[in-house]
Amino acid sequence: MKSIQQWTSIICIASIICIIIELMLPPGKMEKTMRMVLGIFMVCALISPIKNLKKLNFNISNITTEAIKDKFEFTNKINSQLTNLAEDNVRVLILSILKEKGISPKKVDIFMDTNEDNCISIIKSKIYVSKEEAELVNNIKSLIESKLKIETEVVLI
């Protein structure tokens, strides 16, 4: 990028010099000769970076590796956020179903996995309830399994 900046500044300076010299030229044969000299000068200014091409490094392997690494990290973060969002949505859904029945669990854990196609599958849910609600264990399990088709385990704490 620095070499392109230098090249454009050389062209700008050369063109300003050429314009100033052309404005001071007297008309006649001298003007035609000087225009030709100034044209050659501008062509040399345009061509000057070509001699520096040997110094340029076209090594894109580092850039490519870093870009792939950044893309991989970004994809992993997005997938993690999607998994967390799905887990939270399922948790809220379970809590709302239980709230309708007047049951307030202490904690709800959702166990999920992603397959090779990045599809999220819910393995099971674990619902923690107090020992006072021990008689509702079978009701909670059947309610969640029938409404959401999720294998459910109810734990008394």
Side-chain angles (χ1 to χ4, degrees):
M1 189 68 165
K2 190 175 181 181
S3 61
I4 294 173
Q5 236 175 358
Q6 290 174 346
W7 185 51
T8 54
S9 60
I10 288 172
I11 291 172
C12 290
I13 291 170
S15 62
I16 290 171
I17 291 171
C18 288
I19 290 171
I20 291 172
I21 292 173
E22 279 187 27
L23 290 174
M24 294 189 307
L25 286 176
K29 286 187 176 185
M30 184 67 149
E31 180 183 17
K32 290 180 181 179
T33 306
M34 280 306 290
R35 282 187 187 245
M36 186 178 78
V37 170
L38 292 175
I40 293 172
F41 175 70
M42 279 303 294
V43 169
C44 290
L46 289 170
I47 295 176
S48 67
I50 293 177
K51 69 178 182 178
N52 296 330
L53 280 180
K54 294 175 186 172
K55 297 177 186 176
L56 293 178
N57 186 6
F58 292 107
N59 186 6
I60 60 170
S61 63
N62 292 340
I63 296 169
T64 306
T65 305
E66 291 174 13
I68 290 172
K69 183 179 175 185
D70 289 344
K71 184 178 179 184
F72 183 73
E73 288 175 6
F74 178 75
T75 304
N76 283 342
K77 286 179 184 178
I78 294 294
N79 288 339
S80 172
Q81 289 175 355
L82 288 173
T83 303
N84 291 340
L85 182 64
E87 183 179 336
D88 290 342
N89 285 339
V90 171
R91 183 176 292 113
V92 167
L93 189 59
I94 289 173
L95 288 172
S96 68
I97 290 171
L98 293 176
K99 187 177 181 182
E100 286 176 5
K101 299 296 180 182
I103 303 168
S104 58
K106 300 292 182 190
K107 183 179 172 185
V108 176
D109 286 335
I110 310 297
F111 298 94
M112 301 170 59
D113 195 15
T114 55
N115 61 11
E116 61 275 352
D117 296 330
N118 285 332
C119 294
I120 299 171
S121 61
I122 302 168
I123 299 171
K124 75 175 192 174
S125 66
K126 195 179 249 188
I127 301 171
Y128 297 89
V129 294
S130 63
K131 290 183 180 180
E132 292 83 33
E133 297 176 327
E135 66 278 353
L136 299 174
V137 169
N138 290 333
N139 291 342
I140 293 171
K141 183 175 179 172
S142 63
L143 181 66
I144 299 301
E145 286 180 352
S146 66
K147 286 204 175 197
L148 300 178
K149 308 290 189 239
I150 299 173
E151 181 185 335
T152 303
E153 179 183 344
V154 181
V155 179
L156 295 174
I157 53 171

